[in-house]
Amino acid sequence: MKKESVKSAILTALIIISLLLTWNMWTYQPTLFDAKKETDVYEVMPITNTIKKYYEVIKPQQLFIHDGENHFSTMDASHSNDLWMKMQSWEYSDLESGVETFSSGENLKEIQKNSIELRFLNEIPMKTFQTMLEWDADTENVQFDRIYLKAGETGGIQSVYFVSYDKMRYVESSVNNNSEATQKVKQLFNDRNNLEKYYSFNISEGKEIFLPVNEPKMVKHQYKVEEIAGSRFRDALFSNSSVIKQDSITSKNSYTDAISLLDIYPEQHRVYYVNPAVDDSVPLEASTLVDQSIKFLNQHGGWTDEYMLFDIDDKENKISYIMQIHSIPVIPFDEYPQTMIIQKWGQNEAASYERPSYRIDFEINSNNEIMLMSGKKVEELLKANNDIDKEDISNIYIAYQLENVENQGIVNVTPVWCIEMNNGKLKTFKDEIVQSGGNANGME
C-alpha cells in the first residue's frame, strides 16, 4: 500500500504540473515591448503630399504656330498648357504607317506648314505617351521631341505628327473624336496674330531655331525661399530611422544606415543620396526610367516645386527634371547651382538621387518688368563668338536664374537667355556668353 500511495502522489503531482504549464501557455501574453520588437514596421514620411501625373511633368516647353513663312510664339504658357491638357482626352487612331524618315529640312517644312508645334526639352518615349493616354498602338522604339498638329486640313481630320528632330524620323496619327480636336487647333491657329512674331534662324546646317523678332518683355520676380530640413529628407529616404547615424562637418550633414548615404550641403542648397548596393550597370528602357522616377518622387513627396522632364539618358540609366517658375525653366546660377532633380537607376531601385534642398515658398514682388535682347541681337552675339561651336547648340530659349539678395531666404528670379548644348550643358548670356553650370547630369 505504501508503494501504491507513492505512485498516486507522483501521478497527482505530474497532472498538476501539466495543468499549470497548459494554463500558462494559454494565458501567456508577451509584453508590448517584445511584440513591437518582433513586428516593427517603419513607414516613410514623405516630404510633401504632392502626387504628380505623367502629363504634369512631361509637357512641352515651347509652343510655336507656323503660317507659311510666318512664325508666332509666346512666353505665356497658358496656351501650351491648355492644349496639352486637352490632348490627354483625345482618342488617337492607329498610326497611319510605320516610322517614316525625312532627309532634309525641306521635308520637315511640309509637316511644319500651317501647324501648331509643341517642342519638348528631351525626346519622349512614345510608350510613355501611350501610357498617359491608354492608347494601344505599335510604336516600338519610337521617340519624339516635337508634336505637329496640322491646322485647316480638308475633311475635318486632325492629323498629328510625332517627330524626332535629331533622328529625322516621324510617325503620323489622327484623332478619332476630331471635331473637338480640330476646333481647338483651329481656334489657337486663328489667334496667332495676337502672339509675338518669331523668325527662323538656321544656326547650323539643318538646325533651325526660332527666335523673337522684337525684344521680349519679361517680369523679374522676387520670392521667399524655404530650406527644407535635412531630417525631412532622412525620414523620406530611409525606411528605418532608428538605425540612422548622423555626422555633421563644416560643409555637409550626413546620414547613413550603413548601406545608403545621404549628404546635405547647406551652402550649395543641395541633397545627394547614394545606394552603392544597387546595380546600375544593366541598361533600362527610357520608358522604364520615366515610370520608375515619377513613382519614386510620388512615393516620398519629392515634388517640392514645379518640375519638367529635362533629359533621359538610357545608356547611363539617368533621368533629370528641371525646376520651373511660371512654366519657365530655372537654370543653375551663383548660390543656387542646383535646380534639377537627377536620378540614376538600377533595376528597381534608385542608385543615386541629387536634388535641391530648398523650395520656392511664396512671391514677394513681381512688378519689375525688363526687356531682354531681341532674337537678332542673340544671333549677332552668337555669330561673333568663336568659342562656341554652333553645331553643338541644341536649343536657345529664355530661362530664369535665382539670385540671392541680402535678406536671408529671399531671391530675385531673373530672366536670361539660355543656350542648351547637345551634351546638356547650359550657358547664359546678356552682353556676353558665360557658363551657367550644370548639364543633364547636374555636373560641371
Side-chain angles (χ1 to χ4, degrees):
M1 291 294 293
K2 190 173 183 181
K3 187 176 182 181
E4 291 299 324
S5 298
V6 171
K7 286 182 177 181
S8 297
I10 293 173
L11 181 59
T12 302
L14 290 173
I15 290 171
I16 293 172
I17 292 170
S18 178
L19 289 172
L20 287 172
L21 290 173
T22 302
W23 174 259
N24 285 334
M25 288 177 64
W26 286 349
T27 59
Y28 172 73
Q29 288 185 344
T31 64
L32 181 61
F33 174 80
D34 290 337
K36 181 174 176 59
K37 197 170 184 179
E38 292 295 326
T39 61
D40 224 352
V41 175
Y42 298 93
E43 295 182 2
V44 167
M45 301 294 292
I47 303 166
T48 72
N49 295 320
T50 303
I51 304 295
K52 292 288 188 180
K53 296 180 179 179
Y54 280 32
Y55 69 84
E56 293 178 296
V57 289
I58 303 171
K59 56 185 178 181
Q61 184 255 336
Q62 290 177 295
L63 177 146
F64 298 104
I65 298 179
H66 306 290
D67 176 18
E69 296 300 318
N70 299 311
H71 311 282
F72 306 87
S73 187
T74 175
M75 294 305 299
D76 181 1
S78 62
H79 297 282
S80 60
N81 289 341
D82 182 55
L83 176 59
W84 184 239
M85 177 73 76
K86 285 184 166 52
M87 287 176 65
Q88 307 306 307
S89 63
W90 294 356
E91 296 178 5
Y92 297 85
S93 67
D94 292 336
L95 302 181
E96 302 296 331
S97 60
V99 178
E100 303 285 348
T101 61
F102 54 91
S103 56
S104 68
E106 291 302 318
N107 299 128
L108 182 60
K109 284 186 183 297
E110 284 302 310
I111 297 175
Q112 188 185 91
K113 185 166 62 176
N114 297 332
S115 72
I116 296 174
E117 175 188 349
L118 295 174
R119 188 173 295 192
F120 300 79
L121 286 171
N122 188 83
E123 287 198 334
I124 311 300
M126 182 64 83
K127 188 174 179 180
T128 297
F129 186 67
Q130 289 176 255
T131 300
M132 294 159 59
L133 308 169
E134 298 183 357
W135 173 32
D136 185 19
D138 185 13
T139 55
E140 187 178 357
N141 297 325
V142 175
Q143 295 184 331
F144 64 89
D145 57 358
R146 302 178 188 195
I147 296 177
Y148 292 92
L149 305 169
K150 298 293 283 187
E153 290 189 316
T154 58
I157 298 174
Q158 183 55 63
S159 296
V160 185
Y161 293 85
F162 300 90
V163 176
S164 171
Y165 187 76
D166 287 339
K167 294 184 178 68
M168 303 181 75
R169 304 167 70 192
Y170 71 91
V171 293
E172 180 184 357
S173 180
S174 57
V175 182
N176 290 334
N177 54 339
N178 55 69
S179 59
E180 177 190 337
T182 52
Q183 182 179 1
K184 178 60 182 176
V185 171
K186 181 179 179 181
Q187 176 187 355
L188 187 52
F189 187 82
N190 290 341
D191 196 40
R192 62 192 180 278
N193 288 315
N194 293 324
L195 306 183
E196 297 297 322
K197 289 184 177 180
Y198 276 58
Y199 75 98
S200 173
F201 168 38
N202 292 312
I203 196 165
S204 60
E205 186 175 355
K207 174 99 32 125
E208 183 181 49
I209 291 175
F210 293 100
L211 297 174
V213 173
N214 300 315
E215 296 177 334
K217 182 186 292 185
M218 297 293 297
V219 176
K220 185 175 181 179
H221 304 271
Q222 194 170 75
Y223 277 87
K224 181 75 170 66
V225 173
E226 178 193 1
E227 197 71 20
I228 304 169
S231 58
R232 301 283 299 278
F233 292 105
R234 177 200 64 196
D235 295 342
L237 295 173
F238 291 102
S239 59
N240 186 351
S241 59
S242 67
V243 299
I244 304 301
K245 293 182 179 180
Q246 182 178 357
D247 182 26
S248 298
I249 59 176
T250 304
S251 61
K252 66 179 180 179
N253 297 319
S254 297
Y255 302 89
T256 183
D257 61 358
I259 298 175
S260 302
L261 177 67
L262 171 65
D263 287 330
I264 314 290
Y265 298 88
E267 292 185 2
Q268 301 175 25
H269 307 284
R270 181 170 71 96
V271 173
Y272 183 71
Y273 169 85
V274 62
N275 185 349
V278 175
D279 180 10
D280 57 12
S281 62
V282 180
L284 302 177
E285 288 186 1
S287 59
T288 301
L289 287 169
V290 172
D291 184 59
Q292 291 186 170
S293 65
I294 292 178
K295 286 180 179 177
F296 174 70
L297 286 159
N298 281 339
Q299 286 168 357
H300 75 269
W303 303 112
T304 50
D305 280 302
E306 293 299 316
Y307 285 89
M308 172 193 294
L309 180 65
F310 180 78
D311 182 74
I312 305 174
D313 184 352
D314 50 5
K315 293 180 181 178
E316 296 291 331
N317 288 352
K318 285 186 178 181
I319 185 167
S320 59
Y321 300 86
I322 192 165
M323 185 185 291
Q324 301 176 89
I325 295 177
H326 299 299
S327 295
I328 296 175
V330 180
I331 62 176
F333 181 69
D334 197 21
E335 292 185 19
Y336 290 88
Q338 189 71 34
T339 62
M340 293 188 193
I341 292 174
I342 306 137
Q343 304 172 20
K344 187 169 185 179
W345 277 87
Q347 194 66 37
N348 296 302
E349 291 185 80
S352 65
Y353 174 40
E354 186 175 6
R355 56 159 301 132
S357 62
Y358 61 94
R359 72 179 186 90
I360 306 299
D361 197 359
F362 58 87
E363 189 164 18
I364 297 173
N365 187 9
S366 61
N367 297 321
N368 190 5
E369 288 189 345
I370 62 173
M371 305 293 286
L372 294 183
M373 292 182 293
S374 68
K376 290 294 183 182
K377 181 65 176 178
V378 170
E379 180 182 350
E380 178 185 322
L381 276 174
L382 281 174
K383 288 180 177 179
N385 189 296
N386 296 321
D387 295 329
I388 295 181
D389 187 348
K390 311 307 182 288
E391 297 283 345
D392 287 339
I393 293 178
S394 171
N395 202 358
I396 302 173
Y397 47 83
I398 293 172
Y400 279 135
Q401 288 183 324
L402 304 182
E403 300 177 352
N404 197 30
V405 296
E406 289 184 6
N407 294 328
Q408 190 175 6
I410 297 177
V411 294
N412 288 327
V413 180
T414 304
V416 293
W417 276 108
C418 173
I419 305 174
E420 183 183 337
M421 310 302 289
N422 289 330
N423 62 3
K425 285 189 176 181
L426 303 174
K427 300 176 183 289
T428 61
F429 59 108
K430 296 176 182 176
D431 293 329
E432 61 179 356
I433 299 171
V434 295
Q435 180 73 36
S436 175
N439 59 17
N441 299 325
M443 305 290 287
E444 283 290 330

